Amino acid sequence: MNTTSMQSASLWAYLQLMRPANILTAWADILLGYAAAGQVSQIQAVLAGTVSIVELVPLGWLLLATTGLYAGAVVFNDVFDAELDAEERPERPIPSGRASRQGATILGSVLLLGGIAAAAQVSLISALLAIAITIAALLYDSAGKHQDQFGPINMGLCRGGNLLLGISAAPELLSDRWFLALIPIVYIIAVTAISRGEVQGGKRETGIAALVLAGAVISAILLLGFLPVYHLLAAVPFVLLFAGLILPAFIKATQDPSPKTIQNAVKSGVLSLIVMDAAVAAGFAGWLYGAMLLVLLPLSMLLARLFAVT
């Protein structure tokens, strides 16, 4: 293999560590938070030509911030798991030797610091949320994921914090819309809990618990219809799609908790985050905005064919 080929292979390995397909799910969180903060009118005004595209700069910074935070966090996940992956998943970039642990540590650090710096361009509150997400992510990567009860909650807090980061586009609304973070927190608890069986297989009881939590998430989205600013009819088609994507996969993983079945359930669960975010966002900003957000799903699925999701 010549030098150019070796460099290309190395770059590809580091890109694999960042899990590009998953990053789009983090974008969906930001776009949902942006809608919940009542900022979609800015996008409409830009499209109508009544205001400058400069008005969307804060959204751009938040999307850049979540890219760095998410990518940095999953890179550190592989850094902390290097020894374990050498036994259970030797094909991964670090144990296979295609990426070095030191190089991954540098990459992850740059991404996390870059994410915090990007968030700071929006507001101090955004920067503080980015720091909190970074701490929660590193805590999960290093220790939280090994805790049966705290681990899923820890991971859920990372995703809930990401949604709040999107709402921080209008910081004054954080005190009114903070409860929306509970939806991704509960959902990620379900996905993280069921993911425990990816390598050696899971337990039927875990699958049942994940199904109950998924049902609670669907119910919570529907209950948002009681909010004066939420239009449930616009959200219903997206809720049905969300249920159709996750429930069959979770049921199958409950009936057959083998590693392969659970991996498929987790993959469906992660990618369906986009649909869940679209469902909630549609209620705040209309079905067209929800559909725009949903476009991220086929893009994420395409990337999932090239890069690992779990």
Side-chain angles (χ1 to χ4, degrees), residues 10-19 68 71-76 79 99-114:
S10 179
L11 289 173
W12 183 258
Y14 285 107
L15 189 59
Q16 286 179 307
L17 287 174
M18 295 166 59
R19 293 173 176 76
V74 294
V75 168
F76 268 107
V79 169
S100 72
R101 196 170 185 179
Q102 181 181 20
T105 300
I106 294 173
L107 174 62
S109 299
V110 170
L111 288 168
L112 289 174
L113 291 173

Side-chain angles (χ1 to χ4, degrees), residues 24 50 60-61 90 98 103 128-130 137-138 147 162 193 211 271 274:
L24 294 185
T50 56
W61 281 120
R98 292 180 292 115
L128 292 175
L129 281 169
L138 291 177
Q147 306 296 320
N162 199 44
L211 274 171
L271 295 181
I274 293 173

